[in-house]
Amino acid sequence: FFEQEARKSFVSQIKKLSDIERETSICINRCVDLGRTSLFIAAEDDSLVSHSSVPLPVDAFLERLDDLSMGYCSHYNSACRSSRENFLESLEKYLYVKKGFRRSTANNQAEPQALDLHSVLTHRSGSAVMLSLIHSEILKMLRLWGLLDFDVEIFFPHDPHGLPRAYDKQKSKESDQPHIMTVQMLLEEVTSILILRNLKDAFWPFQHGAADSLFLRAANAANRIDKFNGFEDSGYRLASTKAAQRKLDRGVWTSVHFGDMRRALSACERLILLRTDPKEMRDYSILLYHCGLYEQALKFLKLYQDMKSSSAQNPSTDPVSNLEEDAVKKLIVRLNLIAMEEGWTRPWYVRNYLGNNSEPW
């Protein structure tokens, strides 16, 4: 229930974004509350992982953001307004010195704690993305309160140790453009890194396979094709694939070594909503196929093909991409045959798999 409410709230926020607004600076955009949106992402993941009877307190963490802004007002003095540069420097000292916010170490910047806004507010350590967001939210409040009367943008560091910094937009140079943190950039960083790396990849139900592509691993599992090298290694990986499928057949969506279907599906769904890459529809379709949701799987495969054809991209010479497209064609053929033979009959285990929130260990 809580993950559904968090998803609805997340969607209600990103629906406000137009294509133009996605490309604007996070300090300029007004249509979407990025702090709230980030907390809804964390709330859904927290609900999926913890199965807690209490939702993540989004409003309480929003109050923490407001408290940071209020704290700067008490720290602020008229000397800071002697120049715009002094004002922004004063804010940086407040955030990074007085409040002690710091950049996560290079090895931990893709960890969930570094990308969850509530965790960063609690531990005062996070990725450059989260520090950019917090910096921007303080600037937004200062503008609303009349303490900031000029346009500011966030300079986003692309090195592993730099800190996000605010600068006067009027003094920006063309070379600054690649470093400007836009709304779309933040949304993709917050969701794609956190979900794609830590959910979609880590919890993909078909972990073992010779292919680097998640889609190909799942497609090979569907085909029951053993393309692995070496008899011993091949036998282990084939057994892993079959074990993952047997668990799905019994409605077991979570397993220590064989992924987490619910969170993998959730990752794909949010990436689709953000329109990051048409391939997310393709990956989502193969998961739906393994859930026995054949009609929906074919629908998303066709959407993927339509979007790919409308993008007018040059044919790929990448051998992995060619293998993926060949697997897509085979999957479409198989789904069409299932439609003719079974009329989209839904297996009994789909209700258990998608409808039961308990952990069937």
Side-chain angles (χ1 to χ4, degrees):
F1 171 76
F2 294 135
E3 64 264 28
Q4 294 173 0
E5 291 301 310
R7 173 68 64 84
K8 288 178 184 177
S9 299
F10 170 73
V11 172
S12 71
Q13 288 291 323
I14 64 171
K15 280 171 64 177
K16 301 173 186 177
L17 285 172
S18 67
D19 289 339
I20 294 175
E21 287 160 342
R22 286 171 180 266
E23 299 304 320
T24 61
S25 165
I26 60 174
C27 287
I28 297 172
N29 189 276
R30 287 289 180 273
C31 291
V32 61
D33 187 331
L34 293 175
R36 190 179 294 272
T37 302
S38 298
L39 287 168
F40 287 142
I41 292 169
E44 181 175 344
D45 291 334
D46 179 76
S47 181
L48 287 172
V49 173
S50 68
H51 295 284
S52 172
S53 58
V54 179
L56 187 76
V58 170
D59 289 338
F61 284 105
L62 287 172
E63 288 180 9
R64 287 200 183 192
L65 271 177
D66 289 343
D67 289 344
L68 274 176
S69 303
M70 289 294 294
Y72 177 72
C73 291
S74 61
H75 172 77
Y76 162 86
N77 61 66
S78 58
C80 299
R81 289 304 305 270
S82 59
S83 70
R84 294 180 176 183
E85 289 77 11
N86 286 344
F87 179 83
L88 298 178
E89 183 180 349
S90 168
L91 179 58
E92 287 177 12
K93 288 181 178 178
Y94 168 75
L95 188 62
Y96 298 133
V97 179
K98 180 177 177 62
K99 288 299 180 180
F101 280 89
R102 63 192 184 279
R103 183 95 178 257
S104 301
T105 61
N107 293 334
N108 296 325
Q109 288 182 35
E111 293 291 327
Q113 293 83 355
L115 289 156
D116 283 340
L117 180 55
H118 67 289
S119 178
V120 177
L121 287 170
T122 301
H123 301 290
R124 304 193 181 190
S125 173
S127 67
V129 175
M130 285 293 97
L131 295 180
S132 296
L133 174 59
I134 292 170
H135 209 142
S136 173
E137 289 295 294
I138 295 175
L139 287 166
K140 180 178 73 174
M141 295 308 298
L142 295 179
R143 180 184 287 273
L144 290 174
W145 294 335
L147 292 177
L148 180 66
D149 57 3
F150 59 95
D151 289 334
V152 179
E153 287 185 328
I154 296 294
F155 186 90
F156 182 80
H158 291 294
D159 61 273
H161 305 291
L163 291 168
R165 301 189 181 279
Y167 67 96
D168 184 354
K169 185 180 179 183
Q170 289 186 354
K171 296 186 177 181
S172 63
K173 305 180 293 293
E174 187 175 350
S175 60
D176 292 331
Q177 290 300 314
H179 292 273
I180 295 175
M181 171 62 82
T182 65
V183 173
Q184 181 70 13
M185 181 179 173
L186 181 135
L187 286 173
E188 288 186 4
E189 290 285 342
V190 170
T191 57
S192 295
I193 294 176
L194 174 60
I195 298 172
L196 186 58
R197 291 184 182 176
N198 296 285
L199 291 179
K200 183 181 173 184
D201 192 16
F203 296 105
W204 193 257
F206 304 96
Q207 292 284 315
H208 303 287
D212 291 331
S213 163
L214 299 179
F215 175 76
L216 281 178
R217 289 183 206 165
N220 289 341
N223 293 330
R224 291 294 189 271
I225 297 175
D226 183 2
K227 295 183 178 179
F228 311 128
N229 296 322
F231 176 81
E232 184 176 337
D233 189 45
S234 168
Y236 169 73
R237 288 178 170 173
L238 184 58
S240 298
T241 294
K242 290 182 177 180
Q245 187 62 54
R246 281 198 296 271
K247 288 176 179 291
L248 293 176
D249 290 347
R250 299 200 313 273
V252 179
W253 57 72
T254 302
S255 180
V256 176
H257 298 293
F258 301 117
D260 185 324
M261 178 64 89
R262 291 184 71 213
R263 282 192 276 178
L265 284 166
S266 176
C268 289
E269 288 165 1
R270 281 179 284 181
L271 289 169
I272 289 170
L273 288 170
L274 286 168
R275 295 178 288 168
T276 55
D277 190 333
K279 289 182 180 179
E280 300 304 334
M281 292 188 179
R282 179 201 67 188
D283 293 357
Y284 187 52
S285 71
I286 193 66
L287 295 182
L288 292 172
Y289 174 87
H290 282 288
C291 295
L293 298 172
Y294 305 125
E295 186 174 8
Q296 293 92 323
L298 183 58
K299 171 188 171 183
F300 279 95
L301 271 184
K302 288 182 176 178
L303 285 172
Y304 160 68
Q305 287 194 315
D306 291 343
M307 291 186 68
K308 187 183 175 200
S309 60
S310 64
S311 65
Q313 294 179 344
N314 294 326
S316 174
T317 57
D318 179 25
V320 174
S321 296
N322 293 332
L323 287 172
E324 289 175 335
E325 290 308 305
D326 185 55
V328 167
K329 293 175 184 176
K330 290 179 179 178
L331 185 57
I332 289 176
V333 171
R334 184 183 298 111
L335 286 167
N336 283 322
L337 289 173
I338 292 173
M340 290 187 290
E341 293 177 1
E342 302 183 9
W344 303 121
T345 299
R346 189 165 77 162
W348 65 269
Y349 61 81
V350 172
R351 286 191 299 275
N352 288 343
Y353 166 64
L354 293 176
N356 188 351
N357 288 328
S358 62
E359 290 287 5
W361 295 102

